[in-house]
Amino acid sequence: MGDFDRFKTLNDTYGHDAGDRALRLFSNVVRRSLRTDDVVSRYGGEEFVFVFPDKDLQLAREALYRLQQELVVALAGGSVPHFTVSFGVAHSDEATSLEELCRVADAALFKAKRNGRDRIEVEAPERMPRPMVGNGLDLLKGAAPTG
């Protein structure tokens, strides 16, 4: 799951037209960044669900990290006020229903928000190694994601 960070503030500060432009820019970045068999759906106002068929947690996290990097580059054009997106990732093995899977991913998303936003948090079983987490700003700093 992905959710714009402080979207209400963006709308309140720059107007709803800027919010609409941000959503369109994000949609274009998603379209360019992901595989054709990946599925993305708007889940609410500024929240999205991502489905990555045949990807494990680490590969899904890497795909979202690349998306964050592409978003930083797209925002450098200056036509849309700066915004970030946080992500929560869960594997389908971690749930017995789609509703439960969304709850697990949403919990990871909430953790990303709580840990500073513009992050990717992964809900992984204890037996699996913890994936690296980072944010799209790492690209501008020239740093690799940190765990």
Side-chain angles (χ1 to χ4, degrees), residues 5-20 22 46 81-82:
D5 297 319
R6 298 184 175 94
F7 190 69
K8 181 178 179 343
T9 302
L10 185 142
N11 273 328
D12 291 349
T13 303
Y14 299 100
H16 291 279
D17 181 56
D20 290 344
E46 69 278 358
H82 180 77

Side-chain angles (χ1 to χ4, degrees), residues 1-2 64 86-90 104-106 108-110 112 119-122:
M1 296 188 93
L64 292 171
S86 294
F87 296 95
V89 182
V104 173
D106 199 46
L109 175 59
F110 182 74
R119 301 186 59 79
I120 301 165
E121 291 289 345
V122 178

